[in-house]
Structures are given as C-alpha cells and as structure tokens.
Amino acid sequence: MHRFLRSIGFSTYQKRRDIFVLLESLAEGESKKRRILSEEDFSLCEIRAEVAPGMGIAMIGEIDDSGKFHRDSYYPYVNGNDISSTAECTIQRHTDKESYAGLLDENRVGISLIFFMNNSFDYIERLAHRAVKQPESVKLTGLSVEGKILLPIQRNQKQTDQSKLSAADRNSLMEAAKNGDQNAIETLTIEDIDMYSQISRRIMKEDVYSIVDSSFMPSGVECDQYSIIGTIFHVEEIQNRLTGEMVYDLTVDCNDMIFHVIIAKQDLFGEPKVGRRFKGAIWMQGIAEFAGEGILDGKMPEPGAAI
C-alpha cells in the first residue's frame, strides 16, 4: 500500500486486496493511457485515473502482445499550477522502477531539493526521440499525511520588505560563493555566526515558532520527503469523486518558494486560513517543464497514442 494514498482521499483503503480491486477498476475505466513502444513483445504504458481535477492515481506497467496490462508500480499524484523554481534541474532514473527523480540546485532552501518526477513519460518520450532538453522550470506539489496549522508571526510592512531584501541578498551571495567568490564565502560565514548568536539569545525567552518563520528540511531516510513550515496563501477544498472524502489544497510559501500541499481534511489539525502557517512532513512531487515544442509534429502525442 502506498502511504500517501490517504492524502488524496483514500484513507479507508487499508488492505492490499481492496487496493488491488481499486487499481483494477481504475485501469479498466475511463482513464488516460499513454504508450511507448519499447520492444516487439511488449510496450511501456502509463495509466492515469483522475479522482478530482488534476489529482488521481498513476499506474505504470507493460502491455504484452495480447493487449493485457501488467502493472509494475503505482502512486498518487497531484498536478501543480504554479512555477515553484527556475533553478538548474538534473533528472535521474530510479534504480528499481520506470520512474525518475529531479534534483534542483535551489539556493532558497539551502539544500539540493530532490522531488519525485510526476511527468516521467514526457521525459521518456524525449529520451526515445533524442529530444531531451534542460527543464526550464518546475511546478512542485507536496503530499502530506499529517500536519498542523500555526499562527503567523506578526510583522509590519517594513519588516516584511526588509526580510525579502535580506533573502535576495543572501541568494546572490550563495550564487557567488558557488562560483568561488572568496568574499561571498566569508560574508556568508559571518552572517551564519551572527544568526546563531541571535537565535541562541532569543530562544531563552521566546518560542521557537515565533523565531522560525518558515523552514525546509529533509525528513526521514527517503531523499524526497521534507519537513516544512510555510505561510498559506490560498486554501481550496477538493472532493474525491470515488470516496467522497475532502482534501485541502494549500498554496504555501516556504523559503520564498510557492508550491501546493495536499492533505486530507481529517489529517490536518487546525483550521487553515490565508496568512496562517502550515507545519508538516511532505512527499515532494514535481512537473518538469521543458522548453520548445513537443517531439511529434510540433506537439506531444495524445493519450493512448503509440510512438
């Protein structure tokens, strides 16, 4: 069972037998199918079954010469609408399955951000036709199974503007430090020492969540899962058409990056409102946007078309 199925409204599916029946019915129903011919006796196939606009379950497997679909893996997915990053992105295949991960060299989070690639078939098609290009941007989404709402930090407009200016200056310094600028490296080191000193003094009298406005840290042993704190900019409720369960689609600003967090309504502690903060662990997905036209007659193939 995939742990994050409950994030998109399948919390009642706990047994493997029930999930198997669900996947079989979704595969045979009105789903979007894409095929890539790999060898003579089988072809790689992706099936996407939506349970709400832009949200559903993707299944990847093979279709044999008799036309039967054999599922190898599946995962819940959510498509994001907002561009989260334009940083340099590297794509690599997972070892044990026909899926890919993206790695963003993103200065704003202070680490190399790894995400599960939600549009792997676009990349596979480009590989097959030797039309691979560097992604121009990435639209990120995070699936969560547990989270809570925090109150915002009270700030005036001057403090908000100063915070944005400081973040932009730090990003410039980090970019320069990557290129070997010794002055930038020394400046960043001094800033980190000063920040540590300020936090050490404030933590004696203040709560940690009144000091830390937002954060983005790896969580657990899997490289594409993170613990975040981010400000909520938009809240939308979505209903799973099969189960009737409600999920939240939270547009979150975390370390100056905008992305969507999807969580079941029953798994979120507190009432989400614009201006409040979300705190929780997420599984990061992303759609890599490639430059230029598609690879077949100026456009990408339609679902179900064989290449």
Side-chain angles (χ1 to χ4, degrees), residues 279-299:
K279 176 182 180 295
I282 63 171
W283 174 42
M284 187 64 79
Q285 295 183 351
I287 296 176
E289 297 284 340
F290 296 95
E293 295 289 339
I295 57 178
L296 289 179
D297 299 326
K299 63 180 180 179

Side-chain angles (χ1 to χ4, degrees), residues 47-302:
I47 298 177
R48 289 188 175 236
E50 282 197 344
V51 296
M55 182 178 79
I57 298 178
M59 292 164 275
I60 298 176
E62 299 172 357
I63 294 182
D64 59 24
D65 52 2
S66 64
K68 183 177 176 60
F69 176 70
H70 301 275
R71 185 181 65 254
D72 291 330
S73 62
Y74 72 95
Y75 62 91
Y77 73 88
V78 176
N79 296 329
N81 300 319
D82 300 304
I83 294 177
S84 305
S85 176
T86 56
E88 182 180 354
C89 180
T90 304
I91 299 173
Q92 293 187 4
R93 184 183 182 276
H94 288 125
T95 304
D96 59 338
K97 53 188 175 181
E98 197 67 46
S99 59
Y100 289 77
L103 186 148
L104 285 170
D105 192 13
E106 183 57 71
N107 293 331
R108 290 175 291 181
V109 297
I111 58 174
S112 295
L113 193 158
I114 300 174
F115 63 92
F116 182 91
M117 195 167 165
N118 195 9
N119 61 330
S120 293
F121 257 50
D122 290 344
Y123 185 70
I124 294 172
E125 288 170 342
R126 290 174 179 275
L127 282 175
H129 289 260
R130 296 174 181 165
V132 178
K133 295 182 179 180
Q134 185 71 20
E136 281 191 333
S137 60
V138 174
K139 299 177 180 178
L140 295 174
T141 55
L143 273 63
S144 178
V145 295
E146 184 179 3
K148 62 180 64 177
I149 299 299
L150 304 178
L151 293 175
I153 295 177
Q154 187 174 6
R155 286 179 174 176
N156 56 37
Q157 189 60 43
K158 182 178 179 181
Q159 290 172 320
T160 301
D161 294 340
Q162 182 61 40
S163 177
K164 291 181 179 179
L165 183 61
S166 299
D169 291 341
R170 183 173 178 83
N171 288 338
S172 299
L173 286 172
M174 290 185 69
E175 191 65 33
K178 287 181 180 180
N179 296 328
D181 189 326
Q182 191 62 35
N183 291 330
I185 295 174
E186 293 176 358
T187 301
L188 286 171
T189 302
I190 294 173
E191 286 184 355
D192 287 344
I193 294 174
D194 292 342
M195 184 182 299
Y196 177 80
S197 177
Q198 292 176 17
I199 292 175
S200 298
R201 291 195 302 269
R202 293 182 61 184
I203 201 67
M204 301 295 293
K205 300 179 180 180
E206 299 180 47
D207 183 83
V208 64
Y209 296 123
S210 67
I211 301 174
V212 179
D213 187 11
S214 66
S215 67
F216 196 101
M217 297 186 298
S219 175
V221 296
E222 296 189 51
C223 57
D224 53 7
Q225 296 188 22
Y226 302 92
S227 177
I228 69 165
I229 301 175
T231 303
I232 299 172
F233 273 84
H234 181 71
V235 180
E236 183 177 355
E237 292 188 28
I238 303 174
Q239 185 177 37
N240 184 314
R241 65 175 177 84
L242 295 181
T243 64
E245 294 185 27
M246 302 299 297
V247 302
Y248 282 122
D249 179 358
L250 308 177
T251 306
V252 174
D253 180 358
C254 181
N255 284 33
D256 293 326
M257 280 202 317
I258 304 294
F259 56 89
H260 292 255
V261 173
I262 310 299
I263 183 171
K265 194 172 183 178
Q266 60 184 337
D267 292 334
L268 182 62
F269 182 76
E271 184 180 1
K273 287 188 176 181
V274 174
R276 295 180 179 179
R277 293 179 293 170
F278 170 83
K279 176 182 180 295
I282 63 171
W283 174 42
M284 187 64 79
Q285 295 183 351
I287 296 176
E289 297 284 340
F290 296 95
E293 295 289 339
I295 57 178
L296 289 179
D297 299 326
K299 63 180 180 179
M300 298 299 288
E302 295 297 328

